[in-house]
Amino acid sequence: MNHPKLKFTFFLLISLLSINLSAQYQLNGVASVLDNNCIELTPEEGGEIGSVWFLPKINLEESFNLTTNLFFGCNDDGADGITFVLHTDSTGLGSSGGFMGYGFLTPSVAIEFDTYKNTDYFDPTYDHVSIMAMGSIDHGDVNLNLAGPVLANPDDENIEDCEYHEIRINWNAIGKKLQIFFDCGLRLTYTGDVVNNFFSGDPYVYFGFTAATGGKKNQQIICLEDLKTIKPLPDYVMCPDGSIQLEASGGDTYQWAPAETLNNPNIANPLASPTQTTTYMLTITDGCIDFYDTLTIEVAGDFVDFNFTDTTLCENESILLDATTNNATYEWSNGAITPTIIPTTSAYYIVTVTLEDLCVSNAAAQIDFIELPSILFSGFETICAGQTITLDASFSDATYLWQDGSTEPIFNVTEAGEYSVVLDHYCGTKTISTDIIFDRSCKDVFIPNVFSPNFDGTNDYFMILDDGDVELVKRFSITDRWGNAIFEARNFLPNDQTYGWDGTFKGKELGNGVYVYLAELVFRDGTIRIFKGDVSVVR
């Protein structure tokens, strides 16, 4: 089984901060970190209970969006489920069995993904999701059953399907709204004053996951993807005739309004140039969920008079960006604090000019330097018998003259030799050449016969390796000596450990020994070959 990686990222609307996970969570009960950093809350054993709490506390006065992959096991008649919990104790571990490791944890608010019907607590017959409070799992309690239960997966009553499911939990602090998405589909919404109703006005809580088994069992895993905390966008006081560089991040699409005074309302960082005090609204979409925020630009202070234009230069040319203004200080995106700079590399240059601490103004421009190419792109430096390699000299606004007199941007090579092209461009003329050599085999591939999946960073995955001869791995499978299937991947490129075997089966480590592999490979000359052999696991 390939587990998604455990990542933990705080995502701000104005910046991105990655933090190290090495000391950022507390495990309790039988919870343990798996080989590639997913957390197993319970093994596939009866009567187990586990929890993980992430540190430090989060502030419920700030909006957040959490993305995680949950694995509910492979036993359709298994138990008992996983809960996402907001709680005040990083060592919290509730009751086992049908209480899913959450029961009786107070104060708390929980989202339960319940995979077993407990008739005593009015569970529906299908695997369901609900929002509960104060350690209760009783859907008959109208005070503590905040929302649901509803079908967890609208396409299937069973989520114990041996698959990972993406869960999105969105908290809108302004609207006091909690939403749950299952595989990108909205399942539940609860609106209420969580902080005051359940945490006595204290907004700082831990978030974590709990799970348990009883007479029924399942392996239950959580793989955290990221946590986006949404900070309010700052307001500005802008000098008249100036501009403000707006900045956002964390989304797939952006929509700013009103659009009239923006250079582009559909990008993360438009330049705003209002002539009067204006409030802008931002909508960010990240594929599943929309986030909203507003900011106000007040127009006040003394006038400024500077502006930049996007410019493309040849590599031997230069440009002066001049933001000189009386009684001002300067801060450029490249770290300079002078009123002028001369860019030397392609980049988006922004200057912040502060006028006597009264107002600020930004100017920005994309400066690009044209550098003529020095190599011919082909993908290969060797040619196989009967193969054609395409040399590509394509470059904007250029003309071409190849060694045989042809003038197209590409040249098809069918035999070994030296090839060259004279590229003529308004930034200069350049001759580019390459040697193509003949490769007799064109079927080089390396398949190891031993690997050590101890996750020390060396030789941890058994995978197909090559230097460019393999175009596609159609099939890669592992069996034990008795022919029982252990691992299979299809239709991928070599040298990718994502499609390598990590020495596990259904999430559990296999012991040292000899296993059998089969690999069906498509080579760049079009031939297909099947490789069979043994590989030894040595931990």
Side-chain angles (χ1 to χ4, degrees):
M1 180 191 307
N2 289 325
H3 308 291
K5 295 289 186 182
L6 182 65
K7 300 182 293 182
F8 194 25
T9 306
F10 281 103
F11 218 150
L12 313 185
L13 284 179
I14 57 173
S15 65
L16 176 64
L17 173 65
S18 296
I19 63 174
N20 191 317
L21 254 187
S22 59
Q24 296 297 326
Y25 53 85
Q26 169 71 43
L27 300 179
N28 306 288
V30 297
S32 63
V33 176
L34 293 177
D35 49 340
N36 52 359
N37 290 333
C38 289
I39 293 175
E40 181 186 72
L41 294 175
T42 67
E44 191 178 339
E45 299 174 5
E48 301 288 3
I49 181 172
S51 70
V52 57
W53 301 97
F54 291 90
L55 314 175
K57 289 182 175 181
I58 58 172
N59 181 4
L60 293 180
E61 292 179 343
E62 297 176 353
S63 301
F64 70 79
N65 177 258
L66 176 72
T67 303
T68 184
N69 286 294
L70 298 187
F71 181 82
F72 300 98
C74 300
N75 301 321
D76 186 9
D77 190 34
D80 271 278
I82 299 175
T83 64
F84 165 83
V85 190
L86 301 174
H87 185 43
T88 53
D89 183 359
S90 65
T91 62
L93 195 60
S95 298
S96 61
F99 291 94
M100 293 170 285
Y102 154 71
F104 306 109
L105 284 183
T106 58
S108 65
V109 170
I111 299 168
E112 65 165 27
F113 298 88
D114 195 335
T115 60
Y116 187 79
K117 179 183 178 181
N118 290 287
T119 55
D120 291 345
Y121 298 105
F122 301 98
D123 282 352
T125 57
Y126 46 79
D127 295 345
H128 57 277
V129 58
S130 61
I131 303 176
M132 310 296 296
M134 308 306 277
S136 174
I137 65 166
D138 186 356
H139 299 309
D141 189 329
V142 296
N143 295 314
L144 300 182
N145 189 121
L146 305 182
V150 298
L151 193 63
N153 183 357
D155 298 322
D156 194 339
E157 291 191 359
N158 173 44
I159 61 175
E160 301 156 291
D161 53 6
C162 230
E163 298 287 342
Y164 282 87
H165 294 279
E166 184 183 82
I167 306 301
R168 304 285 297 272
I169 299 170
N170 187 53
W171 167 245
N172 182 333
I174 297 174
K176 294 180 172 53
K177 181 185 296 184
L178 183 64
Q179 294 178 307
I180 300 94
F181 294 76
F182 189 99
D183 288 338
C184 215
L186 178 62
R187 303 306 302 137
L188 272 182
T189 298
Y190 167 72
T191 302
D193 191 346
V194 168
V195 172
N196 286 314
N197 291 345
F198 304 110
F199 295 106
S200 302
D202 184 359
Y204 291 93
V205 297
Y206 296 105
F207 78 90
F209 295 84
T210 72
T213 62
K216 302 287 186 176
K217 58 188 179 181
N218 252 325
Q219 183 187 35
Q220 300 175 111
I221 300 170
I222 168 259
C223 299
L224 196 66
E225 287 295 319
D226 62 41
L227 175 67
K228 300 174 184 178
T229 59
I230 294 85
K231 303 285 187 180
L233 292 167
D235 295 330
Y236 298 92
V237 177
M238 186 193 76
C239 306
D241 283 350
S243 298
I244 293 293
Q245 178 73 67
L246 305 181
E247 295 184 67
S249 63
D252 295 332
T253 63
Y254 303 85
Q255 181 67 55
W256 298 82
E260 291 75 19
T261 54
L262 302 172
N263 68 335
N264 188 339
N266 302 313
I267 60 175
N269 56 341
L271 204 61
S273 306
T275 58
Q276 59 186 2
T277 297
T278 302
T279 296
Y280 294 91
M281 180 174 181
L282 170 63
T283 303
I284 297 180
T285 301
D286 72 351
C288 287
I289 301 173
D290 291 341
F291 302 94
Y292 305 94
D293 203 355
T294 60
L295 65 84
T296 298
I297 298 178
E298 179 186 353
V299 180
D302 293 334
F303 282 84
V304 296
D305 184 19
F306 64 91
N307 200 358
F308 303 150
T309 302
D310 293 349
T311 305
T312 300
L313 304 169
C314 296
E315 53 188 325
N316 59 347
E317 296 178 325
S318 64
I319 188 173
L320 178 71
L321 298 183
D322 188 351
T324 302
T325 304
N326 291 331
N327 303 314
T329 58
Y330 310 89
E331 183 178 351
W332 294 84
S333 53
N334 66 351
I337 56 174
T338 54
T340 64
I341 63 168
I342 299 176
T344 58
T345 60
S346 296
Y348 187 63
Y349 291 88
I350 308 171
V351 63
T352 299
V353 177
T354 303
L355 191 59
E356 294 182 327
D357 293 328
L358 298 176
C359 60
V360 298
S361 183
N362 294 125
Q366 178 68 40
I367 307 298
D368 290 314
F369 290 90
I370 295 175
E371 182 178 352
L372 297 181
S374 58
I375 61 172
L376 286 171
F377 176 75
S378 67
F380 299 104
E381 296 177 350
T382 60
I383 189 169
C384 311
Q387 184 186 24
T388 298
I389 291 178
T390 298
L391 300 180
D392 190 350
S394 299
F395 197 76
S396 179
D397 299 320
T399 60
Y400 315 89
L401 181 62
W402 293 87
Q403 76 285 334
D404 69 344
S406 62
T407 57
E408 296 299 318
I410 62 174
F411 189 88
N412 292 322
V413 173
T414 57
E415 59 184 26
E418 182 177 355
Y419 299 86
S420 64
V421 62
V422 178
L423 187 147
D424 191 19
H425 187 269
Y426 63 78
C427 281
T429 300
K430 194 165 189 176
T431 300
I432 315 168
S433 61
T434 187
D435 284 322
I436 302 298
I437 62 176
F438 180 69
D439 184 345
R440 291 187 178 276
S441 73
C442 287
K443 297 179 181 64
D444 291 333
V445 64
F446 176 63
I447 304 177
N449 59 11
V450 63
F451 77 115
S452 56
N454 54 9
F455 300 95
D456 61 357
T458 303
N459 201 26
D460 291 327
Y461 294 87
F462 177 49
M463 57 187 185
I464 306 297
L465 303 170
D466 91 313
D467 288 325
D469 283 346
V470 178
E471 282 197 342
L472 179 69
V473 181
K474 293 187 69 175
R475 179 187 175 193
F476 181 41
S477 61
I478 312 291
T479 62
D480 61 21
R481 288 176 294 174
W482 299 275
N484 298 309
I486 294 174
F487 171 87
E488 184 174 275
R490 290 179 180 267
N491 299 321
F492 61 93
L493 297 177
N495 308 312
D496 187 348
Q497 74 176 29
T498 305
Y499 295 95
W501 181 42
D502 61 3
T504 67
F505 178 59
K506 290 188 176 181
K508 294 186 178 181
E509 292 183 357
L510 296 182
N512 292 348
V514 179
Y515 299 85
V516 180
Y517 71 81
L518 181 147
E520 184 178 0
L521 310 180
V522 181
F523 290 95
R524 64 185 175 100
D525 65 357
T527 61
I528 300 175
R529 290 184 59 186
I530 293 177
F531 294 79
K532 297 179 180 179
D534 298 336
V535 61
S536 296
V537 172
V538 179
R539 298 189 183 276

